[in-house]
Amino acid sequence: MIDDIIFSPVTVVEHSRPRVCSLPEKPYNPRVSDDLYRLRTFSITNKGGVVNCGDSICNRRSRSNTSVNSTNSRASDRSPFDGSCCSGYRPVDSSSLTTPDEDDLDPIPKYRVVLLGDAGVGKTALVSQFMTSEYMNTYDASLDDEFGEKSVSVLLDGEESELIFIDHPSTEMSVENCLSTYEPHACVVVYSVVAKSSFTRAAELLAYLAREQFTCDRTVVLVGNKADLARARQVTTNEGKALATSRDSKFIETSSGIQHNVDELLVGILKQIRLKESREKKQAKKIGKQDAKPSKLASSRTHISLSIARELLHKICINDISKSKSCENLHVL
């Protein structure tokens, strides 16, 4: 009886589609593509506070330092979730982007930052936090093997810059070799507030940078890390501030474990580099004007002498009180 049954073929509707998995086979990883990179965006309030505006995944071929409001700027590559808890990696459709010629792109300034300090003070953990707005378990021991060089792009005051953080163990490369090899724009000296010996080492490093006159031309920031471990603290905030003031350096206390002042440190480093770079340009411009007017050489020398005298008098009169107050402000020289 079964043989008498005729099976008719099932009619397949032409517009139907086969059931497939809607999820990608592999999670998106921006490191796989050389054209895509993470851009961290910050703003500074009128009171000097740092606001994290979220991270974006941008296309390097559309990278330019033109206005962020232009249609072809990196603003068009931003995620709609930027600045929220949902911000994160987002692939960009390169076909929807207008790719300008390489000659039309303004070069993105790159700044090298060397981290110095004893082992175990949290240098690598801080650098790992600099890379993303996402929370990371910075007490993970596996981070100790991730030293080396890491870069992060930061958009601040409408201008993009790339910071290259150099984190080598002192046993692998000495301070002298590190400075001569990388010629950094900034040095970040890190100590742990729960280890007095690391603070002593930080003082030695700052003394060396002062002897080499690095502090005069470049940015130096003293960082007291692990500030969340209050009960085990061995170095007070005033001690760290006093050391930074004595070496004409900036000072901040952070905690990579709870992300305290990590964004403030990242933005402060970039801000200090830009301020010193701007000051150098102004000084070079003044020198150029003086060279262009040889007939007024005597008056220009008198003006320079008066300016130096005013600076010395200002330092003597103000003493260390104002320096102590300003050493914690990373947004001014």
Side-chain angles (χ1 to χ4, degrees):
M1 184 174 180
I2 297 177
D3 296 338
D4 298 334
I5 299 176
I6 300 175
F7 292 94
S8 60
V10 178
T11 305
V12 180
V13 183
E14 292 183 358
H15 65 268
S16 66
R17 63 180 179 86
R19 185 182 298 273
V20 295
C21 180
S22 60
L23 296 176
E25 296 181 0
K26 296 182 180 180
Y28 171 69
N29 185 358
R31 296 182 180 180
V32 175
S33 175
D34 294 334
D35 292 335
L36 302 180
Y37 69 100
R38 180 186 288 265
L39 177 65
R40 304 199 61 191
T41 306
F42 297 94
S43 64
I44 300 176
T45 64
N46 294 331
K47 295 183 179 180
V50 174
V51 179
N52 187 334
C53 301
D55 300 358
S56 307
I57 299 300
C58 302
N59 194 305
R60 294 187 187 276
R61 290 180 295 175
S62 63
R63 204 180 201 188
S64 91
N65 257 343
T66 56
S67 172
V68 295
N69 296 321
S70 63
T71 56
N72 292 333
S73 70
R74 53 187 168 274
S76 62
D77 300 344
R78 300 260 175 80
S79 167
F81 301 108
D82 285 352
S84 69
C85 61
C86 301
S87 63
Y89 294 133
R90 181 177 70 94
V92 179
D93 184 8
S94 59
S95 61
S96 64
L97 299 174
T98 303
T99 305
D101 296 333
E102 293 183 0
D103 296 337
D104 297 334
L105 293 177
D106 294 331
I108 302 298
K110 296 183 179 182
Y111 303 115
R112 296 174 301 279
V113 182
V114 169
L115 280 89
L116 304 172
D118 259 352
V121 297
K123 300 188 298 295
T124 306
L126 283 172
V127 173
S128 297
Q129 293 284 23
F130 290 157
M131 297 299 109
T132 174
S133 296
E134 299 173 1
Y135 173 77
M136 299 186 66
N137 184 8
T138 54
Y139 289 126
D140 187 356
S142 63
L143 288 175
D144 295 337
D145 298 329
E146 295 185 4
F147 56 81
E149 299 178 30
K150 291 185 178 180
S151 63
V152 59
S153 295
V154 177
L155 182 65
L156 178 66
D157 297 332
E159 182 182 353
E160 182 179 340
S161 300
E162 184 176 347
L163 294 173
I164 303 170
F165 290 96
I166 299 142
D167 174 26
H168 289 291
S170 56
T171 55
E172 179 184 283
M173 180 177 288
S174 65
V175 179
E176 297 84 355
N177 291 338
C178 198
L179 295 181
S180 61
T181 301
Y182 294 102
E183 297 182 352
H185 298 85
C187 279
V188 178
V189 180
V190 186
Y191 69 91
S192 170
V193 299
V194 299
K196 191 74 173 181
S197 59
S198 68
F199 182 70
T200 303
R201 176 56 181 163
E204 295 173 353
L205 291 169
L206 288 179
Y208 173 80
L209 294 176
R211 287 195 304 269
E212 296 296 318
Q213 297 184 341
F214 185 91
T215 311
C216 299
D217 302 326
R218 302 299 181 190
T219 296
V220 177
V221 182
L222 177 64
V223 179
N225 195 31
K226 303 185 181 182
D228 58 310
L229 306 178
R231 294 185 178 180
R233 180 185 281 268
Q234 298 181 6
V235 183
T236 66
T237 302
N238 289 333
E239 286 178 309
K241 192 188 301 184
L243 176 59
T245 302
S246 65
R247 296 300 182 185
D248 291 327
S249 305
K250 292 297 180 178
F251 173 74
I252 188 173
E253 284 192 342
T254 62
S255 172
S256 55
I258 60 174
Q259 290 185 316
H260 173 62
N261 277 345
V262 175
D263 288 343
E264 285 75 5
L265 174 58
L266 175 62
V267 171
I269 294 170
L270 178 56
K271 192 71 176 180
Q272 285 294 304
I273 293 175
R274 287 181 178 178
L275 287 172
K276 293 214 168 184
E277 187 177 59
S278 177
R279 186 180 65 179
E280 288 181 359
K281 290 180 180 179
K282 289 181 180 179
Q283 291 175 348
K285 191 174 182 180
K286 286 182 179 180
I287 294 174
K289 287 182 178 180
Q290 292 168 5
D291 292 340
K293 298 178 180 179
S295 60
K296 297 183 180 180
L297 182 60
S299 61
S300 62
R301 287 178 177 175
T302 304
H303 179 72
I304 294 172
S305 299
L306 288 174
S307 299
I308 295 174
R310 288 195 194 98
E311 290 182 3
L312 291 174
L313 184 62
H314 180 75
K315 288 183 179 180
I316 293 172
C317 294
I318 301 301
N319 209 344
D320 291 337
I321 297 176
S322 63
K323 289 172 63 179
S324 178
K325 290 181 180 180
S326 65
C327 79
E328 292 182 284
N329 189 351
L330 274 66
H331 303 154
V332 298
L333 285 177

